[in-house]
Amino acid sequence: MRSDIVKKGIERAPHRSLFKAMGYTDEELQRPLIGVVNSKSEIVPGHIHLDKIAEAVKAGIRMAGGTPVEFGAIGVCDGIAMGHMGMKYSLATRELIADSCEAMGKAHSFDGMVFIPNCDKIVPGMLMAAARIDVPAIVISGGPMLSLNRNGKQLDLNSVFEAVGAYKAGNMTAEEVADFEDNACPGCGSCSGMFTANSMNCLTEVLGLGLPGNGTVPAVYAERIRLAKKAGMQIMELVKNDIKPSDILTPKAFENALAIDMALGCSTNSVLHLPAIANEVGIEINLDIINEISGKVPNLCKLAPAGHHHIQDLYAAGGVQAVMKELTKKNLLHLDLITATGKTVGENIENAKILDNSVIRSVEDPYSPTGGIAVLKGNLVPGGAVVKRSAVAPQMLVHKGPARVFDSEDAAIEAIYNGKIVKGDVILIRYEGPKGGPGMREMLGPTSAIAGMGLDKDVALITDGRFSGATRGASIGHASPEAMEGGPVAVVREGDIISIDIPNGELKVEISDDEIKMRLAEWKAPAPKITNGYLGRYARLVSSASTGAVLK
């Protein structure tokens, strides 16, 4: 056993003494030691209940003959951090989570590890750590929050953000906003749409490091506790057979994840996280690969914010496994890959089927013949940009308008709320990228303000920052190179005409190449916004969004 290095032989008597100080018995120390990484906290609704998940996992480990060893991990609530200084820390914590889990796993020589995340950056951070540590591992998330029907409308967190915009536009009363506030988030779980957390939990299932159901079984269902117990038992099988993340996270597994990403219409943040996870196992995923897969995989689901269905509906319709089974009709998945079940992808989905075609369409009747995410390129973004195509109104797929230029998210929100944005405008928010932000803030504030004010079918938004998975509309993020690195977005001027053609993957500013070169020659990088502390270090080390914003 790997853990023998910390517990076996006369030389390890001091180590055993420390275990015994915590109450471990000789019998427990003779069993495989399984690290249980629990990101439970009292600041994230998706994590408030993870103590229950951890207890179930530990019960499963003990039932299968192992000894669980629990420790904690941090997690930022993106919703609470949204729209202020706190959001600069969100993406940056992905690296802290990966680093701290790696440190704990490597330092204590666990035989296997169970990772318990649920929200946004915590899921990819733990997946990155699992890849680095490379001992048998399994991921069990806390599950999605429910969406409640209120006066005929299915509510989620995004409903409240958009309600603020509607109130500012005079279309909702304060009492109506308060009603949304009280009912949109009814209890524990990751926010109920196909936002970033649920996107990554579903893709963990596809990658093969989570059991079937990991992405969709609701947080409050007893089935989630049973699944956690199964995960605890299954880690012991993975340890017994020495099936490691490096055996599961293959190039073909990432191709499967990207295919399901496109079929589900996941958050654009998946385009940041999948390359970062792949990087940990020496696999390169670039925007060209993403575009290639998007070009051949149909979009089968329109889950919130792209439509009115939520994760509980995807669960009831057959879940992620049913979507996977449907794509096999067009030979769009690799079926011979080993997964955390100990079985192959093909064996896992053998009995899966669609139970509701209004939630999961067939490949013969997709919403679109191409994927839910599109990569755009052009003279404005030579390194690429990303848009959630499935959440864009048809009339905004092709758009041309004057640039409204803002050097921060805060300045853009102020202009939107004060009625300074009109139909046809193309809002450009820059210096919010990985380096420029620093931290590449999610911008649910401006996009939900635009949607709430009824402008999402008339106004586009482009940024070198990123968008929440809850964002809808012509919201184009990850503009690369970012402004802080001297990308063309840094020299766009108020009134320049910007042309967007999502079906053809183009994003251009209508000025000549010579004019762009002249402006860039005159451009000087502004002083960094933050130079000290963790964010200061992060800004100095982080790479482009087009490569996953990993630290170099």
Side-chain angles (χ1 to χ4, degrees):
M1 288 189 287
R2 291 177 175 88
S3 62
D4 284 350
I5 198 169
V6 299
K7 67 183 187 183
K8 191 171 183 180
I10 192 67
E11 299 85 0
R12 294 299 182 249
H15 303 61
R16 292 192 296 274
S17 180
L18 292 168
F19 276 106
K20 289 177 178 179
M22 295 179 279
Y24 292 92
T25 65
D26 286 323
E27 290 78 9
E28 286 175 300
L29 295 180
Q30 288 163 9
R31 298 176 176 182
L33 299 184
I34 308 299
V36 177
V37 193
N38 184 5
S39 54
K40 193 265 187 206
S41 75
E42 296 181 351
I43 192 63
V44 190
H47 291 220
I48 190 73
H49 64 304
L50 294 187
D51 52 343
K52 304 292 191 299
I53 300 295
E55 287 303 318
V57 165
K58 291 190 288 185
I61 292 169
R62 291 187 181 106
M63 282 190 283
T67 296
V69 182
E70 183 181 348
F71 62 92
I74 65 165
V76 166
C77 177
D78 279 18
I80 294 173
M82 193 73 66
H84 57 88
M85 174 69 182
M87 181 44 71
K88 293 178 184 290
Y89 282 92
S90 172
L91 179 61
T93 61
R94 185 186 71 184
E95 316 309 311
L96 287 175
I97 292 160
D99 290 350
S100 60
C101 290
E102 173 200 352
M104 291 293 286
K106 292 276 193 180
H108 300 107
S109 299
F110 296 118
D111 296 296
M113 296 188 72
V114 181
F115 294 88
I116 309 175
N118 208 24
C119 293
D120 296 87
K121 258 41 84 264
I122 299 90
V123 183
M126 287 190 177
L127 287 168
M128 290 164 69
R132 281 186 208 170
I133 301 165
D134 204 30
V135 299
I138 196 167
V139 176
I140 171 68
S141 77
M145 186 185 291
L146 294 179
S147 167
L148 299 185
N149 189 297
R150 188 76 173 167
N151 297 321
K153 181 178 173 61
Q154 287 294 138
L155 297 184
D156 54 47
L157 177 65
N158 198 31
S159 307
V160 194
F161 273 99
E162 292 189 6
V164 175
Y167 173 79
K168 295 275 188 181
N171 297 327
M172 281 185 81
T173 66
E175 290 74 21
E176 288 171 325
V177 175
D179 186 67
F180 274 36
E181 175 186 325
D182 289 343
N183 294 285
C185 298
C188 65
S190 47
C191 294
S192 54
M194 188 53 82
F195 311 149
T196 305
N198 291 324
S199 295
M200 292 310 302
N201 284 324
C202 288
L203 296 182
T204 297
E205 193 176 323
V206 183
L207 282 170
L209 278 179
L211 296 178
N214 179 73
T216 59
V217 176
V220 295
Y221 285 16
E223 186 182 349
R224 175 61 58 175
I225 298 297
R226 297 197 300 272
L227 190 66
K229 288 179 180 176
K230 288 178 182 176
M233 290 187 279
Q234 186 58 28
I235 188 60
M236 298 307 297
E237 287 298 309
L238 296 175
V239 168
K240 176 183 174 183
N241 295 306
D242 200 28
I243 298 173
K244 302 182 295 295
S246 57
D247 301 315
I248 294 172
L249 297 176
T250 63
K252 288 182 178 180
F254 284 99
E255 289 175 12
N256 281 356
L258 285 168
I260 298 301
D261 192 346
M262 300 307 163
L264 288 174
C266 290
S267 163
T268 52
N269 281 314
S270 62
V271 177
L272 274 179
H273 299 318
L274 288 174
I277 298 160
N279 179 67
E280 299 292 345
V281 285
I283 297 169
E284 181 188 353
I285 295 177
N286 57 42
L287 295 184
D288 292 334
I289 294 169
I290 292 167
N291 230 18
E292 179 188 340
I293 292 175
S294 179
K296 63 185 180 183
V297 177
N299 178 215
L300 305 183
C301 302
K302 276 196 180 289
L303 300 154
H308 64 276
H309 294 128
H310 288 75
I311 303 301
Q312 67 207 44
D313 303 309
L314 177 61
Y315 164 77
V320 173
Q321 304 291 305
V323 178
M324 295 174 75
K325 183 67 174 287
E326 189 64 19
L327 289 191
T328 63
K329 293 180 180 178
K330 288 200 168 186
N331 297 316
L332 291 169
L333 288 186
H334 304 288
L335 302 180
D336 58 344
L337 312 180
I338 194 68
T339 71
T341 63
K343 300 176 181 177
T344 64
V345 171
E347 289 170 329
N348 288 343
I349 66 174
E350 187 175 358
N351 297 317
K353 59 183 178 180
I354 297 174
L355 303 176
D356 186 344
N357 274 115
S358 72
V359 179
I360 306 171
R361 288 194 175 186
S362 69
V363 291
E364 293 84 18
D365 181 34
Y367 285 102
S368 165
T370 53
I373 291 175
V375 174
L376 311 181
K377 289 195 173 181
N379 67 349
L380 183 60
V381 286
V386 181
V387 64
K388 189 167 184 172
R389 172 169 41 196
S390 59
V392 178
Q395 59 266 48
M396 287 298 290
L397 289 170
V398 178
H399 179 77
K400 185 183 292 188
R404 304 298 308 280
V405 182
F406 303 94
D407 286 348
S408 72
E409 176 189 9
D410 312 87
I413 289 176
E414 182 182 357
I416 295 165
Y417 282 154
N418 288 327
K420 295 177 181 177
I421 301 300
V422 299
K423 291 183 178 182
D425 283 349
V426 178
I427 300 169
L428 174 63
I429 304 176
R430 61 193 179 193
Y431 298 108
E432 289 285 5
K435 286 185 181 294
M440 205 179 184
R441 284 194 284 184
E442 283 188 346
M443 298 190 189
L444 187 53
T447 58
S448 57
I450 289 167
M453 297 172 87
L455 292 171
D456 58 298
K457 295 179 176 64
D458 302 288
V459 170
L461 199 157
I462 300 167
T463 182
D464 56 4
R466 63 197 178 94
F467 294 110
S468 164
T471 291
R472 62 187 174 98
S475 302
I476 301 164
H478 308 191
S480 300
E482 63 173 292
M484 198 67 177
E485 292 193 316
V489 290
V491 295
V492 174
R493 294 174 182 168
E494 189 83 4
D496 285 345
I497 300 301
I498 293 178
S499 173
I500 301 165
D501 186 342
I502 294 172
N504 289 307
E506 294 180 351
L507 179 57
K508 298 185 289 188
V509 56
E510 295 192 350
I511 56 178
S512 68
D513 291 344
D514 288 341
E515 174 69 13
I516 291 174
K517 287 177 183 176
M518 185 187 76
R519 291 186 189 181
L520 285 172
E522 296 171 351
W523 172 83
K524 291 182 180 178
K529 295 173 185 173
I530 297 173
T531 57
N532 62 349
Y534 176 60
L535 283 182
R537 295 199 306 276
Y538 181 85
R540 290 190 293 273
L541 297 172
V542 70
S543 69
S544 168
S546 62
T547 56
V550 296
L551 299 188
K552 296 293 186 182

